[in-house]
Amino acid sequence: MTEPQGAGRDSWRNGLSARMAGFGPKANAFVSQPEPRTIGSFARGRQLCAGNFLFAGYLVEAPEAGIWDLPMPDAAFETEVHGFIWLDDLAAVADLNARHRAQLWTHDWVKRFGKGTGPGWVADLTGRRLVRWINHAVFLLNAQDGDTSAAFFRCMSRQANFLARRWKSAEPGLPRFEALCGLAHAGLALQGMERHLIPACKALERECALRIDDEGGLPSRNPEELLSVFVLLTWTVATLEESGATPPGGIVAAIQRIAPTLRSLRHADGGLARFHGGGRGLDGWLDQALAASGVRHMRHKGLSMGFARLSHGRTTVIVDAAPPPSGENSLNGHASTLALELTSGRRPLIVNCGSGESFGSSWRRAGRATPSHSTLSIEGFSSSRLGGAGVIAGRRTELLIDTPNDVSVNRPEVGRGVALILSHDGYVATHGLAHYRRLELASDGRSLVGDDSLSALTQEAERKFDEAFDRSGLQGIPFHIRFHLHPDVHAELDMGGAAVSMALKSGEIWVFRHDGAGALSLAPSVYLEKGRLSPRATKQIVLSSVATGYGIRIGWTLAKAQDTPSHIRDLSAEDDLAKTDR
């Protein structure tokens, strides 16, 4: 692949800055013994100890090899390795074998790359790596000799000085927050690096003001990215408070804005809604960060980063109810307008396919299209189109273009239940048809009633529809309403093909029915998530029909079977453990 324009120049500047950083101030001790804040995965740590290296969707099995001697199958694989998040996983295991590997691989990095060479010298990776080294310093330095410890501190000093020079080179958003939080942690933890603390905190305040809006959202509308930023900010504030320093008001205010938004984007099972390139989030991070923030309330009015929430009983429904991100902010954006996810207790039921980033460019592109989301799509079209060109993490990618201009959401009064009426005009330009979706969640959370419609509401829209109708050979405009199911859901057609029964591992039974205006089928689908070698097979409910006039409506219901109790004891984590046993 051709190197993106400007990448070579940035690489040269990073290399020069990394080498020059060695002449800056030096640290040889910690101000205080650091406490690890990052949460790792015991299962992933055991895999690493067994020599199974799974990064960016690639598995390299090399039980006898060091991590820096591995063949790097992809640039994303190499990036993840140099970011050192795997230290969290080894620390979660924390036995002698895990400690040996953590120490060996870290100190080997110091020897090979510590003087400013290699692909790890970019601002966001350096910030990510430095936070881990500080977090796990006791784990890494235990029983090490004086020369090894001195080299470790020299390398941390060089990385802190590098960040002081190059943090502005990090892309706005999460990469820049990683760089600045790494610099702030170094200024707090390392003797001799104190000069970096105040500039880092001031820059963090500016980034919070620029990137985090009044409703606590990011321009990318990626819930997992918002969580990652939130976690970094809560770590920084906690470390400042523990050192006796007063956290800057701008950072504290950003945390107070973000926390209610993340609570609104949290499903009943503790995971995040999966939209615009984001996943569920690392296990434990969301709840730990929300608890650390001290902010207990949820955003009850309006939207949360463009998402609407319905919740009653054990059921949560989260809907994409705003235009998708635009311009450079749409590099990871999805054509998911009006898509929904539904979770019952600890069990996701209706999902979106997710990001195919770790499975290659074809899966990444497919995951961004409207048919990969639980909403209506006109056959052969997405509500937003992919086009233009951008660069993310050194890779060329497409932006979202021709996005909906008008996305509306209203919350009508419906007695004890909660409801949404939504619409978007993403198909008006191509077919003259606006998509309307109505959702009503019962007060006990046992049923979701919905209907989807396509309508041409103006003379210009009717003219567009007539043109599209003529192009179809007077056959009409085919469309599909999809409901992608989580892989743990067992689904089968029922009632002679008029309904779909879905069994959750909790024992709950949900039934999908429709009003007969469309054709019901149960089709294959995929569930895309990080940390796996390939997409997981699953199923999707599909309602199909054809628009032959200026308006068509299809009604449907998703409800628990009558004999399903309202409260089911669902405490077993056996299936969750199996999920991590790859």
Side-chain angles (χ1 to χ4, degrees):
M1 183 172 64
T2 304
E3 189 176 58
Q5 186 176 7
R9 184 165 59 251
D10 280 346
S11 179
W12 178 84
R13 288 174 177 169
N14 284 336
L16 177 62
S17 295
R19 290 187 290 274
M20 294 295 293
F23 298 102
K26 304 291 193 299
N28 56 16
F30 286 105
V31 174
S32 60
Q33 181 171 316
E35 286 290 332
R37 302 191 186 280
T38 45
I39 300 173
S41 163
F42 179 84
R44 288 194 298 267
R46 290 294 298 270
Q47 289 176 352
L48 289 168
C49 290
N52 298 318
F53 301 90
L54 179 59
F55 298 106
Y58 295 90
L59 176 65
V60 176
E61 298 179 89
E64 305 301 324
I67 198 167
W68 311 114
D69 295 320
L70 297 175
M72 300 292 174
D74 185 82
F77 184 102
E78 192 169 28
T79 293
E80 287 196 20
V81 173
H82 280 269
F84 271 75
I85 289 180
W86 47 263
L87 261 184
D88 299 338
D89 304 327
L90 291 175
V93 177
D95 61 13
L96 288 176
N97 186 19
R99 189 180 74 183
H100 171 72
R101 288 174 182 267
Q103 292 179 345
L104 178 65
W105 297 344
T106 300
H107 298 307
D108 196 20
W109 193 95
V110 173
K111 293 175 184 176
R112 298 188 187 207
F113 310 111
K115 292 185 178 179
T117 60
W121 288 94
V122 292
D124 56 326
L125 283 185
T126 302
R128 190 184 309 167
R129 182 172 57 244
L130 193 51
V131 167
R132 266 72 191 179
W133 285 19
I134 292 171
N135 274 351
H136 302 300
V138 173
F139 187 58
L140 294 173
L141 293 177
N142 187 29
Q144 297 298 298
D145 58 41
D147 289 343
T148 300
S149 296
F152 181 73
F153 277 103
R154 283 196 303 272
C155 190
M156 283 201 293
S157 302
R158 186 187 292 267
Q159 291 178 82
N161 295 331
F162 170 80
L163 285 173
R165 293 168 174 261
R166 293 294 290 161
W167 67 263
K168 290 182 181 179
S169 68
E171 291 292 326
L174 177 59
R176 190 165 293 179
F177 280 105
E178 286 187 306
L180 286 171
C181 287
L183 184 59
H185 275 69
L188 282 165
L190 299 174
Q191 288 183 4
M193 296 291 114
E194 296 86 353
R195 69 184 67 187
H196 296 316
L197 178 59
I198 292 178
C201 287
K202 287 183 176 178
L204 267 176
E205 281 194 291
R206 289 194 297 270
E207 289 300 311
C208 287
L210 288 171
R211 299 295 295 179
I212 301 167
D213 63 26
D214 293 342
E215 284 72 44
L218 292 173
S220 68
R221 300 194 56 225
N222 180 330
E224 189 176 19
E225 182 184 2
L226 183 66
L227 170 60
S228 297
V229 170
F230 183 67
V231 165
L232 289 168
L233 296 179
T234 56
W235 287 347
T236 302
V237 165
T239 306
L240 283 163
E241 290 175 339
E242 289 171 3
S243 69
T246 301
I251 300 177
V252 174
I255 289 172
Q256 292 173 342
R257 295 198 301 275
I258 295 172
T261 295
L262 283 175
R263 287 191 182 279
S264 298
L265 298 176
R266 179 188 182 275
H267 274 299
D269 66 341
L272 283 170
R274 300 179 348 127
F275 288 93
H276 297 297
R280 289 174 42 83
L282 293 173
D283 290 344
W285 278 37
L286 176 56
D287 287 342
Q288 184 196 52
L290 287 172
S293 73
V295 181
R296 301 288 182 258
H297 65 280
M298 186 185 297
R299 195 175 303 283
H300 293 289
K301 294 184 178 179
L303 302 179
S304 298
M305 203 167 69
F307 298 95
R309 175 188 177 94
L310 299 175
S311 62
H312 264 314
R314 294 161 45 87
T315 304
T316 54
V317 179
I318 298 176
V319 187
D320 188 349
S326 59
E328 291 295 313
N329 295 313
S330 72
L331 291 170
N332 280 322
H334 287 206
S336 58
T337 310
L338 305 198
L340 66 86
E341 290 195 323
L342 184 149
T343 296
S344 178
R346 292 181 60 244
R347 305 295 166 176
L349 176 57
I350 306 298
V351 297
N352 297 307
C353 290
S355 172
E357 172 72 27
S358 61
F359 306 118
S361 59
S362 296
W363 276 115
R364 184 178 190 275
R365 199 174 198 277
R368 300 176 72 187
T370 302
S372 294
H373 300 82
S374 294
T375 187
L376 179 149
S377 62
I378 289 179
E379 189 170 288
F381 289 81
S382 286
S383 56
S384 300
R385 265 65 71 189
L386 295 174
V391 177
I392 184 168
R395 293 177 171 182
R396 295 192 184 278
T397 187
E398 294 173 294
L399 307 175
L400 289 181
I401 59 173
D402 300 331
T403 60
N405 295 314
D406 183 13
V407 181
S408 68
V409 55
N410 293 289
R411 291 182 180 267
E413 296 291 333
V414 291
R416 296 201 309 168
V418 286
L420 293 169
I421 298 176
L422 311 109
S423 69
H424 77 80
D425 63 351
Y427 300 114
V428 170
T430 56
H431 298 81
L433 296 171
H435 174 205
Y436 288 80
R437 166 164 272 188
R438 189 183 192 280
L439 304 169
E440 182 176 342
L441 182 65
S443 59
D444 56 7
R446 291 179 62 91
S447 68
L448 178 69
V449 178
D451 65 63
D452 288 277
S453 61
L454 291 170
S455 301
L457 298 178
T458 67
Q459 287 186 341
E460 176 61 20
E462 290 178 356
R463 185 183 66 80
K464 287 278 188 183
F465 176 83
D466 290 339
E467 292 175 354
F469 189 71
D470 289 342
R471 290 196 301 271
S472 74
L474 307 183
Q475 298 301 304
I477 312 301
F479 66 92
H480 310 280
I481 306 168
R482 291 179 168 86
F483 301 87
H484 295 273
L485 304 179
H486 189 272
D488 290 340
V489 176
H490 176 73
E492 57 185 19
L493 288 171
D494 203 353
M495 298 174 60
V500 175
S501 295
M502 293 155 284
L504 279 59
K505 288 195 172 181
S506 62
E508 290 184 354
I509 304 294
W510 287 73
V511 180
F512 180 90
R513 296 181 176 89
H514 64 108
D515 62 6
L520 177 66
S521 63
L522 194 58
S525 182
V526 292
Y527 187 76
L528 306 170
E529 60 182 334
K530 300 174 185 175
R532 289 188 175 271
L533 286 175
S534 59
R536 297 175 69 186
T538 186
K539 295 180 180 179
Q540 58 177 310
I541 299 169
V542 184
L543 276 176
S544 302
S545 189
V546 178
T548 57
Y550 297 142
I552 184 171
R553 173 193 168 278
I554 295 180
W556 50 267
T557 61
L558 186 64
K560 290 183 184 180
Q562 289 186 356
D563 57 353
T564 295
S566 294
H567 300 283
I568 290 180
R569 185 175 178 84
D570 183 20
L571 301 178
S572 173
E574 180 181 349
D575 56 312
D576 298 324
L577 290 174
K579 181 174 65 176
T580 61
D581 185 18
R582 305 178 187 95

Coordinates of all heavy atoms in Angstrom, one line a residue, residues 6 26 40 122 522:
G6 N 2.6 12.7 3.7 CA 3.0 13.3 4.9 C 3.5 12.3 5.9 O 4.1 12.7 6.9
K26 N 16.5 13.9 33.0 CA 16.5 12.5 33.3 C 15.7 12.2 34.7 O 15.7 13.0 35.6 CB 17.9 11.9 33.5 CG 18.8 12.2 32.3 CD 18.4 11.4 31.1 CE 19.5 11.4 30.0 NZ 19.8 12.7 29.5
G40 N -6.6 -5.8 33.1 CA -6.3 -6.7 32.0 C -7.2 -7.9 32.0 O -8.1 -8.0 32.9
V122 N 5.7 7.0 18.1 CA 4.7 7.9 17.6 C 3.9 8.4 18.9 O 3.9 7.6 19.9 CB 3.7 7.3 16.6 CG1 4.4 7.1 15.3 CG2 3.1 6.1 17.1
L522 N -35.4 -15.9 8.2 CA -34.3 -16.0 9.1 C -33.0 -16.3 8.3 O -32.9 -17.4 7.7 CB -34.5 -17.1 10.2 CG -33.7 -17.1 11.4 CD1 -33.8 -15.8 12.2 CD2 -34.1 -18.3 12.3

